Amino acid sequence: MKRAFVFPGQGSQAVGMGKELADAFPAAREVFEEIDDALGQKLTSLMFEGPIEDLTLTENTQPALMGTSVAVARVLESEGNFKLADIADFVAGHSLGEYSALTAVGALSVSDAARLLKARGQAMQQAVPVGEGAMAALLGMDIDPVEELVREATEAGEGVVVAANDNAVGQVVLSGDKDAVARAIELAKEKGVRKAMMLPVSAPFHCPLMQPAADRMAEELAKVTITPPSLPVVANVTASQVSDPETIRKQLVEQVTGRVRWRESVLYMGEQGVEQLVELGTGKVLTQMVRRINKDMNGTAIQGPADIEAFLGSL
């Protein structure tokens, strides 16, 4: 059976994330210690104990989610006595989850990924003053009508608004200037969208307003070594596979302002014969999306020791 490992993005964080893994497995503890050392910060204390207000700060959330996902991957490998590449055909990650995917298959070191994500979180937060940007979820409207909606909202007034995340069938996220996003929400309601709501985020991710953050990440990514991954990575910005290190570097910069093409990424993996998506890390967001995108694909989430045992027993 063809399988892909996938890695969640921002929004899946929770106090206590990774603690069961660290308590049970040396391989997980090694990942968390490496991240703490790389950042010069006890990020693991924040992950295990909170407070949630500090964990939810973008600069903490991003390396924390990566660390938990990579810890699950390392435990799977050590307990199963295999490498991910032995039992899978692709990896992919949602937004920051792409860094988790690249780290899990050896393209980035854990230390470099942690430092990059700390910088990415800071740069994204600083790119747009708090209160000026916004993101909104549209439920019950697919990407083509949303793109038409965005065109109308852009023509009707000032400001940037784009389709930032094409997550699943009938689940698209807008991003941009607060007033422009609000205008798009009103248009969506007029067009009969099932639900349109502002999201509680601190910045308008994956839109042209993030260009200062993209420039910063170009500088940061230029400093690190990227090696060929042991499995092809399905990239957010193209929804197709990539293994060339310099292309990966370029696409990680583009990803900051570009659309997260998650629905297309899952469809692409299905076209390549993938039958099972295995989500590694905190939460089950990607697993819940799978059936809405491809009904023939099976999704499963691995978070803690019991999930790891069950998965290894199924192989």
Side-chain angles (χ1 to χ4, degrees):
M1 176 172 62
K2 281 198 169 185
R3 179 183 291 116
F5 287 109
V6 296
F7 299 83
Q10 206 155 323
S12 294
Q13 67 275 4
V15 172
M17 60 193 291
K19 188 171 189 313
E20 269 193 303
L21 291 168
D23 289 345
F25 302 108
R29 289 196 293 275
E30 287 173 17
V31 171
F32 294 136
E33 287 165 8
E34 189 171 345
I35 291 171
D36 283 352
D37 289 347
L39 298 179
Q41 170 191 5
K42 287 294 287 182
L43 184 66
T44 46
S45 295
L46 194 55
M47 292 161 60
F48 299 167
E49 301 160 20
I52 187 64
E53 296 79 17
D54 291 344
L55 180 60
T56 304
L57 292 173
T58 302
E59 66 180 78
N60 293 327
T61 301
Q62 296 199 17
L65 284 165
M66 180 278 295
T68 306
S69 287
V70 173
V72 174
R74 294 290 183 264
V75 170
L76 276 181
E77 291 180 324
S78 64
E79 295 297 303
N81 197 28
F82 54 67
K83 291 292 184 185
L84 295 189
D86 297 333
I87 62 165
D89 299 271
F90 297 96
V91 292
H94 190 283
S95 190
L96 81 88
E98 192 159 288
Y99 285 79
S100 309
L102 288 162
T103 307
V105 291
L108 287 169
S109 72
V110 171
S111 296
D112 281 343
R115 286 188 288 262
L116 286 168
L117 287 171
K118 184 82 171 177
R120 186 177 183 267
Q122 291 170 339
M124 286 177 143
Q125 190 59 67
Q126 293 162 3
V128 179
V130 173
E132 290 189 10
M135 298 184 78
L138 301 181
L139 304 181
M141 189 177 274
D142 292 342
I143 190 65
D144 289 343
V146 170
E147 287 184 330
E148 178 59 34
L149 173 84
V150 162
R151 276 193 292 274
E152 289 182 34
T154 301
E155 290 167 2
E158 294 181 353
V160 168
V161 58
V162 299
N165 295 16
D166 180 9
N167 283 334
V169 176
Q171 188 179 331
V172 180
V173 175
L174 303 178
S175 183
D177 288 296
K178 191 173 183 179
D179 290 347
V181 172
R183 192 162 60 243
I185 284 179
E186 290 309 308
L187 276 171
K189 289 176 180 174
E190 289 172 17
K191 294 175 183 293
V193 69
R194 191 169 83 246
K195 192 170 186 180
M197 55 189 178
M198 288 287 194
L199 296 175
V201 296
S202 55
F205 305 130
H206 299 291
C207 81
L209 300 178
M210 286 286 114
Q211 189 57 50
D215 295 342
R216 167 85 185 277
M217 290 315 295
E219 294 172 9
E220 297 296 334
L221 283 157
K223 300 173 187 174
V224 303
T225 299
I226 300 177
T227 57
S230 60
L231 283 171
V233 180
V234 180
N236 282 193
V237 293
T238 60
S240 61
Q241 61 182 289
V242 59
S243 292
D244 171 64
E246 291 314 308
T247 305
I248 290 169
R249 197 186 311 272
K250 175 172 164 285
Q251 290 180 346
L252 286 174
V253 176
E254 293 171 358
Q255 191 220 53
V256 179
T257 56
R259 181 182 301 170
V260 177
R261 299 180 179 273
W262 188 254
R263 177 185 60 85
E264 294 173 76
S265 296
V266 174
L267 290 174
Y268 174 81
M269 288 185 276
E271 288 164 4
Q272 310 311 307
V274 171
E275 298 172 63
Q276 183 184 42
L277 285 194
V278 183
E279 182 175 5
L280 304 186
T282 305
K284 299 181 179 181
V285 171
L286 303 182
T287 303
Q288 290 164 351
M289 287 181 192
V290 171
R291 294 305 292 270
R292 296 187 61 178
I293 302 170
N294 183 340
K295 290 181 169 58
D296 296 326
M297 199 177 277
N298 171 42
T300 188
I302 303 179
Q303 300 184 66
D307 299 328
I308 289 167
E309 184 179 351
F311 178 74
L312 292 176
S314 73
L315 293 177

